[in-house]
Amino acid sequence: MAKLNIEIGALQLANPVMTASGTFGYGTEYQDFIDLSKLGAAIVKGTTIKPREGNPYPRMAETPSGMLNAVGLQNKGAEYFVRNIYPTVRTLGCPAIVNVSGSTIEDYIAAAEIIDTLHDIPAIELNISCPNVKQGGMAFGVKPESAEAVVSAVRKVYHKTLIVKLSPNVTDITEIARAAEHAGADAVSLITTLLGMAIDAETRKPVLSTVTGGLSGPAVKPIALRMVWQTAKAVNIPIIGIGGICSATDAIEFLLAGATAVEIGTANFIDPSVTMKVIDGINDYLDRHGFKSVTDIIGGLIS
Amino acid sequence: MGKYQLDLVVRSVRTISSDTFLLELTMPGTGARLPEVQPGQFAEFLVRGSETTFLRRPISIHDVDYQNNAIYFLIRKAGAGTAKMSELKTGDTINVILPLGNGFDYATTMPKHPLLVGGGVGVAPLLLLGKAMKSAGIRPEFLFGGRGKDNLLRIDEYGKSGKVHVTTEDGSCGQKGFVTDHTVLKEESFDCIYSCGPTPMMKAVASYASEKGIPCQVSLEHKMACGIGACLCCVEDTKDGNVCVCKEGPVFNTEKLLWQN
């Protein structure tokens, strides 16, 4: 039995397997299928300062080895979260991390300040892929300057572990990762979904109400793996690998590429108990290869 | 009510029409009993061996026989995933998550003489509903519509729970026209309507029910990913905002929906 525990900033996790925001609800949706207390952490649904209805249906399209979504951050807002969801989320049995999104820097600050007061939320994951409504809708996360601005602003008001989630829809993800590190992020998680599109040839219409949406699932794994490997060489803070992880082998590949931990997203829809299988499989791999701790394989790629 | 992820065993696969089949599943091993399910609930099937099928396929529960530990699904081959499922053989296993969603309500309102309106393969959940109603002392009748005779599925089975009325668009069976044209709607008086089928049909049924002041429940079919209310992909815009069809539905009271707009 190898040691599976890892550290990210001040976070001490029992194992490196977390759930990706937006794919795991608030955790309780999965309690009939898995023992939530066995997760490294649960990253729960994206929260914004004000409630959001999200985009109109249809907001999902199945694609080869993956899916597109355009949910649009549907959530009931930070105050509702504190009143109605936090009391449950704090009792999941594993650390619960809140994903925070916003349309302006002020929105991010306000939401982060509220979550900062919640004793049993040890970290936030900042989604900087949202459009900045004050700057023509360009996403915060696509330029190092705007990424640094929003991360710095949140860092000033948020006192616990700050994870910054990076978009792959950029020319050079390592520049954005460096900007986040420079602005005080404790870790970066990558990748969010890749911008994609689906068309129904029969009706000659887009499948999604928003025309474009975010691609996830095994289809994106090679891209995510490459970006984690590149980012690991560019920053000194821990990396959380995300993108199409469906098995322990997938997770181990991300660890070898330089990730300290992983998030499992879309695979939860196919197998609601996949996270447990990944944790057990990582343990088996470490035993089989004679590693005493999961930290022994982080960045262990032989090239 | 708990949800289960189970490897169910195929007991039989039976052709019902040119594009539909009846899948009978049972629990693996000996002694394990099927979980209790409600009429209108559904299951999510993991389809193996279809290159273009990535997500699970949501299929409504057609019938359940607890004595024989059997659960039935009436499935239309609508695409590659369901076509692959039609190739299952006796003894195969298939991974299923069930029971999901909220079913039809009859137990709290106890209608005396409800009408169950189905179109195409949308009739599937109405079999279990009709049986459950009959057992509860309710007297349901069925009204089914299809393009032609081939689209009317397992009529005799439904007939065991109540009178079946039929319309076809081509007039090959029953009265010619749509379900809302059937004379039974003028001849009989129903105190509740339950419907499942194509959206235009359900909207017409809901509109008829609303005109007559009859309570109406419909079962919606939206594209789904998780099936358990986690991903928020299968939403329907309602008077309460966007809600998940998989978790808050698939059955809704039509007064909750924004269909009249």
Side-chain angles (χ1 to χ4, degrees), chain B:
Chain B
M1 190 188 302
K3 306 178 188 81
Y4 301 85
Q5 183 180 10
L6 302 166
D7 284 314
L8 296 181
V9 178
V10 177
R11 206 182 252 170
S12 69
V13 186
R14 194 145 61 85
T15 299
I16 299 297
S17 75
S18 60
D19 64 351
T20 54
F21 61 100
L22 182 69
L23 181 64
E24 177 189 7
L25 302 175
T26 188
M27 291 290 282
T30 48
R33 308 304 298 173
L34 280 166
E36 196 186 326
V37 302
Q38 301 299 324
Q41 288 189 303
F42 68 100
E44 280 251 66
F45 285 80
L46 185 62
V47 182
R48 298 272 185 208
S50 166
E51 283 177 23
T52 53
T53 308
F54 175 64
L55 297 168
R56 283 177 182 262
R57 289 294 179 265
I59 312 273
S60 65
I61 297 166
H62 178 52
D63 197 5
V64 62
D65 177 351
Y66 296 111
Q67 271 186 345
N68 289 308
N69 218 18
I71 186 163
Y72 298 85
F73 297 87
L74 182 62
I75 305 170
R76 184 169 74 92
K77 286 183 261 181
T82 42
K84 196 75 204 173
M85 286 174 68
S86 73
E87 296 169 15
L88 286 165
K89 299 274 178 283
T90 302
D92 287 350
T93 61
I94 184 159
N95 191 264
V96 183
I97 302 173
L98 84 174
L100 301 175
N102 294 307
F104 294 102
D105 176 63
Y106 62 93
T108 59
T109 50
M110 284 300 279
K112 287 188 173 58
H113 193 35
L115 182 66
L116 280 51
V117 187
V121 78
V123 300
L126 303 181
L127 183 66
L128 186 58
L129 178 62
K131 280 186 164 185
M133 284 176 163
K134 196 185 173 202
S135 309
I138 298 169
R139 195 163 56 88
E141 292 196 21
F142 301 92
L143 173 57
F144 293 155
R147 279 188 305 280
K149 206 168 186 248
D150 189 52
N151 306 116
L152 297 165
L153 309 166
R154 309 196 78 208
I155 296 291
D156 294 347
E157 283 301 312
Y158 292 85
K160 293 174 187 168
S161 301
K163 202 169 173 186
V164 182
H165 309 275
V166 167
T167 62
T168 50
E169 288 169 47
D170 64 5
S172 57
C173 188
Q175 296 183 8
K176 186 172 177 178
F178 295 110
V179 286
T180 41
D181 300 326
H182 201 284
T183 50
V184 71
L185 295 177
K186 293 184 187 74
E187 292 156 4
E188 288 261 357
S189 146
F190 299 101
D191 57 353
C192 195
I193 294 179
Y194 299 81
S195 186
C196 184
T199 305
M201 186 209 81
M202 288 195 292
K203 285 190 175 178
V205 169
S207 154
Y208 167 83
S210 158
E211 274 168 33
K212 300 284 174 189
I214 306 170
C216 182
Q217 296 175 31
V218 293
S219 176
L220 302 188
E221 181 184 49
H222 278 15
K223 282 186 190 170
M224 286 178 190
C226 72
I228 56 174
C231 70
L232 312 189
C233 286
C234 64
V235 292
E236 172 73 14
D237 196 9
T238 69
K239 288 180 180 163
D240 303 325
N242 280 325
V243 301
C244 287
V245 167
C246 71
K247 190 179 180 183
E248 316 297 333
V251 176
F252 291 91
N253 279 307
T254 48
E255 62 188 22
K256 283 244 172 176
L257 303 176
L258 303 175
W259 279 5
Q260 43 276 48
N261 304 337

